[in-house]
Amino acid sequence: MSTDPQLITVLGATGSIGVSTLDVISRHPDRYKVFALTADRRWQLLATQCLVHQPRYAVLKDYAAALELEAELRRQGCPTEVLQGDEALELVAAHDQVDTVMAAIVGAAGLLPTLAAVKAGKKILLANKEVLVMAGGLFTRAVAEHGATLLPIDSEHNAIFQCLPSHRENYLQDGLQTCGVRKILLTASGGPFRNTPIVDLRKVTPEQACAHPNWSMGQKISVDSATMLNKGLELIEACWLFNTRPHNVQVVVHPQSVIHSMVEYVDGSVLAQLGNPDMRTPIAHALAWPDRIESGVATLDLIAIARLDFSAPDYTRFPCLRLAQEAAEISGTAPAILNAANEVAVAAFLQRRIRFDQIAVVIEQVLSRLDSCEPEDLAHVQSADADARAMANQLIASW
Ligand code: NDP
């Protein structure tokens, strides 16, 4: 008996995760159909994606780009309806025809559309980790309240999810430690500057920072990986996704990026998930969960890889990781402050307004000047985010 394909909205369709998602979807036309595609302003790529996938809606945040897209699709005879702006992003994330939402907008901009999908009780494939970093408590409570399903796309969290007991209600209710888990081993490649002399980090260019040795990703996450702030964001993300505390998550540097993360149980067993570094594996896993589907990822050739290395992170080289761990321990609005200061600092670095090593300085100074408190609602988180952005911008402008 054939069933109708699931309808999918891809938030951030033109990004690295969005493109990989569409690749997996296009391998399974019997199972999945694109309902809506969204982007910020890259209308040409979105137009190409619309011609291939024929979604009902295409949304651009940028008004001028939406006009260009509209004109192009009419010229090509594509029936996709073009919408524009923040409300339209929320509309296609929460639309009652949608089954699954891929949340792959980068940064804080993804918070409201992803939350709209949660409140509509959707199955959410979460790549946009900043959402959990900013508002993890409010977000996970909303997931439970609205009966949404949250599945991790970050390769590390998807790996942990695969290694954890399948009855996740147990750890979501009572905490990971009640399920016989001793700790999570969160692996990190160490990025492109793992062995660069520390004195040379001040000379790093955006091009060098974006050239990750193992993964092909968007610019922001590439810089986050180079500073290892990304691993700190992932540690916070892991605490919310798996209901545990920061001291139960150990960061392990593993340069080959073959083991995507591990879970250690109290009996001494350590379960790991391995695979080639290709985001189509976690995307296919989460799309089909609990089934398995083909993703297009090549077989892992362990004999060619031959060795797997592990070491402790170097906090002198990567102060951003320490700052994120501290923010995770403080909790409250501290992670939202950390995230906002980082987004401003990374944008300034990509525009060559600050040096690579100054990203950590911006975050440290903003964190030390703003107090953290327990957020009561979303407005509280948004105000902490806005204060941190204003302070980071002020600081950078004063240099
Ligand atoms: P990209 O920068 O490649 O893509 C970001 C997407 O979001 C683009 O479609 C972009 O549109 C859109 N976008 C950017 N700003 C806005 C905005 N203000 N409003 C609406 N849409 C916006 O990012 P990635 O795909 O690399 O990453 C996406 C998320 O997934 C991030 O949170 C990242 O941390 C996470 N992630 C990524 C991984 C990867 O391998 N890339 C791995 C694990 C997690 P436009 O093209 O028009 O700019």
Side-chain angles (χ1 to χ4, degrees):
M1 196 183 72
S2 71
T3 50
D4 288 339
Q6 280 183 40
L7 293 182
I8 320 266
T9 285
V10 183
L11 300 172
T14 51
S16 159
I17 293 287
V19 168
S20 294
T21 303
L22 291 176
D23 181 275
V24 176
I25 287 176
S26 62
R27 291 166 191 275
H28 303 279
D30 50 327
R31 292 184 75 119
Y32 309 112
K33 170 148 183 41
V34 176
F35 178 79
L37 297 174
T38 85
D40 182 14
R41 59 187 65 232
R42 281 198 286 161
W43 64 268
Q44 293 95 333
L45 178 52
L46 196 60
T48 308
Q49 293 177 334
C50 287
L51 291 171
V52 174
H53 295 278
Q54 305 270 317
R56 177 160 165 198
Y57 295 111
V59 184
L60 281 162
K61 172 130 176 178
D62 185 80
Y63 180 67
L67 292 181
E68 298 276 12
L69 179 67
E70 170 78 29
E72 177 65 10
L73 293 185
R74 295 302 76 86
R75 202 173 65 76
Q76 300 272 0
C78 175
T80 299
E81 192 176 329
V82 177
L83 305 176
Q84 181 269 323
D86 291 321
E87 281 178 20
L89 288 173
E90 292 183 40
L91 182 142
V92 298
H95 197 287
D96 56 10
Q97 283 186 292
V98 170
D99 301 295
T100 300
V101 175
M102 166 56 80
I105 292 176
V106 61
L111 179 61
L112 293 181
T114 307
L115 203 53
V118 168
K119 289 182 177 167
K122 304 297 181 196
K123 173 174 164 183
I124 293 132
L125 316 185
L126 188 75
N128 186 192
K129 65 191 85 181
E130 294 90 347
V131 160
L132 276 184
V133 171
M134 289 176 74
L138 299 170
F139 194 86
T140 47
R141 275 196 296 281
V143 168
E145 207 176 300
H146 296 278
T149 305
L150 192 60
L151 296 171
I153 291 297
D154 229 330
S155 60
E156 293 78 358
H157 304 76
N158 185 271
I160 295 160
F161 180 65
Q162 294 194 46
C163 296
L164 283 174
S166 52
H167 297 294
R168 62 180 180 156
E169 311 74 46
N170 297 349
Y171 61 79
L172 290 181
Q173 244 167 42
D174 304 323
L176 208 49
Q177 273 53 43
T178 61
C179 297
V181 171
R182 187 176 283 152
K183 64 182 174 190
I184 286 172
L185 297 153
L186 186 66
T187 53
S189 71
F193 309 126
R194 192 170 48 90
N195 296 318
T196 306
I198 293 179
V199 286
D200 291 344
L201 291 180
R202 64 199 318 277
K203 293 185 259 167
V204 162
T205 64
E207 292 73 22
Q208 290 168 327
C210 289
H212 195 280
N214 306 339
W215 296 93
S216 159
M217 307 181 285
Q219 284 194 317
K220 193 258 178 186
I221 186 177
S222 297
V223 177
D224 287 350
S225 299
T227 60
M228 279 194 81
L229 192 273
N230 183 52
K231 210 46 58 182
L233 299 181
E234 288 180 2
L235 182 147
I236 299 167
E237 183 186 9
C239 290
W240 289 116
L241 281 172
F242 308 119
N243 197 9
T244 191
R245 300 281 308 141
H247 60 262
N248 297 320
V249 183
Q250 182 185 352
V251 175
V252 178
V253 176
H254 164 47
Q256 291 89 356
S257 298
V258 167
I259 296 182
H260 297 306
S261 276
M262 298 172 260
V263 173
E264 182 181 331
Y265 286 84
V266 286
D267 60 6
S269 300
V270 177
L271 303 194
Q273 187 262 358
L274 286 72
N276 285 318
D278 186 323
M279 288 307 293
R280 289 177 300 174
T281 294
I283 290 167
H285 173 264
L287 261 176
W289 180 83
D291 295 347
R292 296 272 178 175
I293 55 170
E294 204 271 323
S295 66
V297 176
T299 298
L300 180 67
D301 186 346
L302 278 174
I303 292 172
I305 291 163
R307 60 180 278 182
L308 299 176
D309 297 301
F310 305 98
S311 59
D314 175 348
Y315 289 96
T316 314
R317 176 185 302 278
F318 298 116
C320 285
L321 177 59
R322 170 183 55 78
L323 292 168
Q325 285 178 323
E326 286 168 10
E329 285 293 351
I330 298 167
S331 194
T333 48
I337 295 168
L338 168 101
N339 179 65
N342 179 57
E343 285 192 24
V344 171
V346 169
F349 166 67
L350 288 170
Q351 294 159 0
R352 297 174 208 275
R353 288 163 51 223
I354 63 170
R355 295 192 315 265
F356 179 77
D357 59 324
Q358 288 178 312
I359 295 173
V361 180
V362 173
I363 299 171
E364 180 145 43
Q365 297 214 5
V366 173
L367 270 175
S368 69
R369 290 181 201 183
L370 291 177
D371 290 333
S372 166
C373 52
E374 206 43 55
E376 284 156 20
D377 52 25
L378 199 59
H380 205 156
V381 173
Q382 287 170 317
S383 136
D385 174 272
D387 289 349
R389 280 172 203 271
M391 185 161 287
N393 276 314
Q394 217 175 28
L395 196 66
I396 291 168
S398 73
W399 285 347

